[in-house]
Amino acid sequence: MDAIKFVQEQSSVANDLPAFRSGDNISVSYKIVEGDKERIQIFKGDVIKISGFEGYKTFTVRKMSSGVGVERIFPMGNPNIVEIVINKRGKVRRSKLYYLRDLVGKKARIKERKFLKN
């Protein structure tokens, strides 16, 4: 039993990622390797889904690029993720925001969650 846990711990890489939810607007800095060159690309958009469990979680980020919706799936434990920055906290009532795919313009916006300062 301990051998199974050991293998799972070794296979999952622990990244220090901030806590975010569906509806949040985030910027994912992702390392891209092309041949012998490396560069960091930033993918900025709304989180529409978080799925999986423990070390096998994935999250889907959706953005609009030249009027076309682009979605990208990132594994949480991927060592190519350099950093994640939370731009806005979204106020949503669902965990999967697939309905955003059909909305256009101002209807596709997500309201911002406001926090009370004491």
Side-chain angles (χ1 to χ4, degrees):
M1 192 62 119
D2 294 330
I4 295 172
K5 285 185 179 181
F6 177 75
V7 170
Q8 286 179 345
E9 289 174 3
Q10 295 299 321
S11 65
S12 65
V13 178
N15 283 353
D16 294 331
L17 302 178
F20 57 90
R21 306 187 327 183
S22 291
D24 292 352
N25 188 290
I26 63 173
S27 298
V28 181
S29 298
Y30 196 75
K31 189 184 340 176
I32 294 179
V33 179
E34 296 172 335
D36 57 344
K37 293 187 282 185
E38 287 185 3
R39 64 185 174 92
I40 294 177
Q41 182 175 356
I42 297 175
F43 194 89
K44 183 178 177 181
D46 296 321
V47 178
I48 63 166
K49 166 172 97 164
I50 299 175
S51 64
F53 62 96
E54 294 178 8
Y56 304 102
K57 277 189 170 183
T58 61
F59 60 97
T60 304
V61 180
R62 177 180 175 84
K63 73 173 184 176
M64 295 301 290
S65 178
S66 301
V68 178
V70 179
E71 292 182 9
R72 183 154 185 191
I73 300 170
F74 295 97
M76 286 269 198
N78 194 339
N80 288 335
I81 295 177
V82 178
E83 72 170 339
I84 295 178
V85 177
I86 300 173
N87 303 324
K88 289 186 210 173
R89 301 273 183 181
K91 181 181 178 183
V92 294
R93 297 176 63 163
R94 296 169 183 254
S95 60
K96 310 280 195 270
L97 305 177
Y98 299 132
Y99 65 89
L100 289 177
R101 294 173 178 165
D102 299 328
L103 299 180
V104 179
K106 288 186 178 181
K107 290 184 180 183
R109 279 197 258 170
I110 296 174
K111 289 185 181 178
E112 191 168 356
R113 214 174 351 145
K114 306 218 182 214
F115 297 101
L116 296 176
K117 295 180 182 178
N118 292 332

